[in-house]
Amino acid sequence: MNNELKVPNHIAIILDGNGRWAKKRNMPRGYGHIVGCDNLEKMCDVIKDMGVKYLTVYAFSTENWKRSRAEVEGLLKLFRQYLKRCIKKAHKNQMRVKIIGDPSAFPQDIQDSIHELEECSKDYDHMYFQIAMNYGSRDEILRGMTRMIEDVKNGTLAENAFDENGKLTEQCFESYLDTAGIPDPDLLIRTSGEQRLSNYLMWQLAYTEFYFTEVPWPDFHEEELRKAIEQYNLSLIHI
């Protein structure tokens, strides 16, 4: 990376366009997801080598269950394969991996793989990789506030949860989110032309710089990442 460029500490990516990429090539949507998954593995190495400390990607939303049964089953099969490969990637890159979202909706074998991946990588600190699976920001907030209500009922809410005016602190609220302990993203990248958050990290992206590109995720390689970081640096000039 150019020494004059400031590399974001935390990049969040919406991995969009896999299905459309495949359709343009007269291939099934599932093929696009496979290629997109392979690209994610490659880009993890690129992003780590650039010096980015945190990477969070949107892999499967709470709304994705509404897709066709064949596509959902294909994605679940892909998750089974990727989670196992990710264990090797975590060891290679000394990378801590965390799944954000509600894994309870997945079949038990996928839940077991998630637990194994998180457990085997929990002590690594060269890079922090978050994968949003069965994730939706509204769902995250509702789940977090449900846990907070239980703590209030049980009398286990932290003493410093409120400020001197009796107002709930942001620190307390954030401690109940899936991303507790993870800094907010500095840069959000969304591929394939859409310009919306799609229920992704809505609290965490409050002050994040956004970068939208027409390039679909399977074609988003190092050169495109550099363009995003260059645009991020231009935005810093105007702060």
Side-chain angles (χ1 to χ4, degrees), residues 99-126:
I99 306 303
I100 62 173
D102 182 7
S104 66
F106 290 118
Q108 188 60 50
D109 65 311
I110 292 180
Q111 294 184 49
D112 292 342
S113 292
I114 288 172
H115 177 74
E116 181 183 2
L117 175 58
E118 292 183 330
E119 186 66 21
C120 80
S121 66
K122 65 181 181 180
D123 295 324
Y124 293 144
D125 61 1
H126 286 199

Side-chain angles (χ1 to χ4, degrees), residues 5 8 16 20 23 25 27 53-54 62 73-74 91-92 101 113 117 141 158 182 189 205 207 223-224 227 229:
L5 290 178
D16 200 11
R20 281 167 283 174
K23 187 176 180 181
R25 289 158 177 77
M27 297 293 287
K53 194 72 173 178
Y54 295 85
T62 50
E73 289 180 349
H91 290 317
K92 174 186 174 184
S113 292
L117 175 58
I141 291 171
I182 300 168
I189 299 171
L205 295 174
Y207 297 102
E223 181 181 352
E224 297 300 327
K227 291 178 183 178
I229 295 179

Side-chain angles (χ1 to χ4, degrees), residues 26 63 67 77 156 161 178 184 209 213 219 221 224 234:
N26 297 315
E63 288 78 24
R67 295 186 177 186
K77 180 179 179 181
T156 56
D178 296 344
D184 291 341
E209 295 296 331
T213 176
D219 289 334
H221 305 310
E224 297 300 327
L234 288 176

Side-chain angles (χ1 to χ4, degrees), residues 10-204:
H10 185 176
I11 294 178
I13 307 178
I14 299 177
L15 313 172
D16 200 11
N18 296 319
R20 281 167 283 174
W21 180 90
K23 187 176 180 181
K24 285 184 178 180
R25 289 158 177 77
N26 297 315
M27 297 293 287
R29 289 177 60 87
Y31 175 71
H33 294 309
I34 292 171
V35 175
C37 187
D38 290 342
N39 190 46
L40 176 58
E41 289 195 58
K42 296 173 184 175
M43 289 304 295
C44 270
D45 289 336
V46 171
I47 289 170
K48 176 180 179 293
D49 291 344
M50 284 185 171
V52 176
K53 194 72 173 178
Y54 295 85
L55 171 65
T56 304
V57 300
Y58 206 5
F60 190 88
S61 75
T62 50
E63 288 78 24
N64 284 159
W65 296 106
K66 299 176 183 177
R67 295 186 177 186
S68 71
R69 180 176 179 180
E71 185 171 0
V72 170
E73 289 180 349
L75 286 168
L76 294 180
K77 180 179 179 181
L78 189 59
F79 291 156
R80 289 182 171 97
Q81 298 168 351
Y82 178 73
L83 289 168
K84 293 185 182 302
R85 295 205 306 267
C86 199
I87 290 176
K88 296 181 180 179
K89 181 71 68 174
H91 290 317
K92 174 186 174 184
N93 289 338
Q94 299 285 287
M95 177 175 71
R96 181 177 179 180
V97 185
K98 178 179 181 180
I99 306 303
I100 62 173
D102 182 7
S104 66
F106 290 118
Q108 188 60 50
D109 65 311
I110 292 180
Q111 294 184 49
D112 292 342
S113 292
I114 288 172
H115 177 74
E116 181 183 2
L117 175 58
E118 292 183 330
E119 186 66 21
C120 80
S121 66
K122 65 181 181 180
D123 295 324
Y124 293 144
D125 61 1
H126 286 199
M127 183 179 177
Y128 297 84
F129 181 33
Q130 292 70 234
I131 309 173
M133 293 175 58
N134 194 33
Y135 174 89
S137 192
R138 291 180 177 181
D139 179 67
E140 172 191 31
I141 291 171
L142 289 174
R143 284 187 288 104
M145 292 306 93
T146 299
R147 293 195 301 272
M148 178 184 286
I149 290 170
E150 287 300 313
D151 285 349
V152 170
K153 291 179 178 179
N154 297 332
T156 56
L157 193 66
E159 292 183 2
N160 59 352
F162 300 94
D163 63 17
E164 63 275 11
N165 297 315
K167 181 180 178 182
L168 181 69
T169 64
E170 289 190 5
Q171 292 76 13
C172 179
F173 177 86
E174 289 172 348
S175 73
Y176 285 91
L177 298 180
D178 296 344
T179 53
I182 300 168
D184 291 341
D186 303 289
L187 172 64
L188 167 73
I189 299 171
R190 179 162 189 163
T191 57
S192 201
E194 301 291 348
Q195 297 188 19
R196 58 178 183 268
L197 294 184
S198 296
N199 199 17
Y200 184 50
L201 301 176
M202 292 189 296
W203 173 272
Q204 298 87 343

